[in-house]
Amino acid sequence: MFKQIELNYNFNDLEPYIDELTMDTHYSKHHAAYTNNLNVALDKLPEFKNLSIEDILVKLPAISDDGLKNAVRNNGGGYYNHNLYFASLKPGGRNKPEDDLASRIEKDFGSFESLKEKLSSAAMGRFGSGWAWLSANKSGQLQVSSSPNQDNPIMESKGDWIPILGIDVWEHAYYLKYKNLRGDYIDSFFQILNWDVIAKNYAKVVSTS
Ligand code: MN
């Protein structure tokens, strides 16, 4: 049975960048529902029950029942994506990358500023609900992309690209405070993004090669 990651901060700790009610609703309602609905769907797929969430997302095409496949795609994506998102936020975390990840960002994007611009424009350009991503492959390369709904690069690349940073641009992530101003939310997101966590995510992808 899958469980939501536990937060090592309080719902009001990200104020004023993300407000307490948004954090509480996002984690306690939205993410809880994705997690519960994933578990309910997996009850009908015993052959999937002992797989990691990453393996489940790669093996989606093997689910023959379309309703179940959509349930696992939407809720398994929602479960995985939000674990990544909530774990990457922290007040007072390192606010820019260092060491290996910083060098790789310079190599692949020119500079940290230019990576932030690419991520922001992927997040702004995603029409409707979805995510913007920074992903890595096992050779350590980085790429920026975006996905609709609760899809992610693992599903889209059959596991070749693993997201290390995800910006949730569903309106539920920002609408209570920012209304239609998605760009202001994205700017705020970068203020509370903990690059220590992103560096660990990156090291994990590269070390499994
Ligand atoms: Mn969300």
Side-chain angles (χ1 to χ4, degrees), residues 161-175:
W161 290 93
I162 310 292
I164 61 171
L165 184 173
I167 311 177
D168 187 346
V169 294
W170 282 58
E171 285 183 344
H172 68 224
Y174 62 87
Y175 205 84

Side-chain angles (χ1 to χ4, degrees), residues 73-132:
R73 178 181 181 175
N74 293 331
N75 296 294
Y79 167 76
Y80 176 92
N81 298 344
H82 287 88
N83 272 354
L84 183 76
Y85 176 83
F86 287 124
S88 73
L89 302 178
K90 192 176 183 180
R94 186 170 288 165
N95 65 3
K96 64 180 174 57
E98 289 183 7
D99 304 327
D100 288 356
L101 179 56
S103 332
R104 190 69 211 202
I105 286 170
E106 275 179 33
K107 182 171 181 204
D108 289 355
F109 303 103
S111 67
F112 177 49
E113 279 312 307
S114 130
L115 166 65
K116 281 212 289 193
E117 280 165 28
K118 272 203 137 172
L119 276 167
S120 297
S121 84
M124 283 302 288
R126 168 50 52 193
F127 184 77
S129 296
W131 292 76

